[in-house]
Amino acid sequence: MDKRKSVYTFAKAQLSAFSGGIVDYLVMVTCTELLHIHYTISIAIGGIIGAVVNFSVNRYWTFTANKASESPVGNQLLKFIFVVAGSIMLKSSGTYLFTNWLNLDYKITRIMVDIIVSLSFNYVLQKYWVFKKSPQ
């Protein structure tokens, strides 16, 4: 039963990441293509806006970490800000490096980097640090 719950939580986290990621990606493309902001800066702008969506969905739906017995929202938010800052740094630098090394469009390398960062960095830190359940 515990394994099934872990898979369910993982699936919910991926849906949350996808919803925040869509907002993030659309803001990045809009900033780069319409406002002519360099894509590495656009990644940061999109990342911040997408993070608001992701935090809200994760707190209230994915990890249901909004109960009085859980860590206060301020503590979660502070931890989440550190995760988002690291995530934005990894996505921006990774996209820049992959774009230049592979000579691909930034929109393609961004998706590649997002998948790597989302699964190996964001999910792990959000589940086991930001929204960690208190021992019962």
Side-chain angles (χ1 to χ4, degrees), residues 24 33 55 131:
D24 176 350
E33 300 298 326
F55 179 83
F131 301 110

Side-chain angles (χ1 to χ4, degrees), residues 37-117:
I37 298 171
H38 193 269
Y39 67 86
T40 56
I41 303 300
S42 297
I43 290 170
I45 296 167
I48 291 167
I49 295 169
V52 172
V53 172
N54 188 252
F55 179 83
S56 300
V57 173
N58 278 338
R59 178 170 164 73
Y60 294 100
W61 181 64
T62 306
F63 300 111
T64 58
N66 57 326
K67 297 177 181 76
S69 63
E70 302 299 329
S71 178
V73 67
N75 291 351
Q76 291 174 343
L77 191 55
L78 183 61
K79 291 176 182 178
F80 191 79
I81 288 169
F82 281 110
V83 173
V84 168
S87 177
I88 288 171
M89 191 170 59
L90 289 169
K91 289 176 184 180
S92 184
S93 59
T95 301
Y96 178 80
L97 291 173
F98 278 27
T99 298
N100 289 313
W101 286 348
L102 302 176
N103 202 25
L104 294 172
D105 186 278
Y106 76 95
K107 293 185 252 16
I108 295 168
T109 58
R110 169 66 195 277
I111 292 170
M112 293 166 45
V113 171
D114 265 11
I115 291 168
I116 295 166
V117 172

Side-chain angles (χ1 to χ4, degrees), residues 23-37:
V23 171
D24 176 350
Y25 190 82
L26 291 174
V27 169
M28 176 200 69
V29 171
T30 300
C31 288
T32 302
E33 300 298 326
L34 298 179
L35 302 176
H36 306 289
I37 298 171

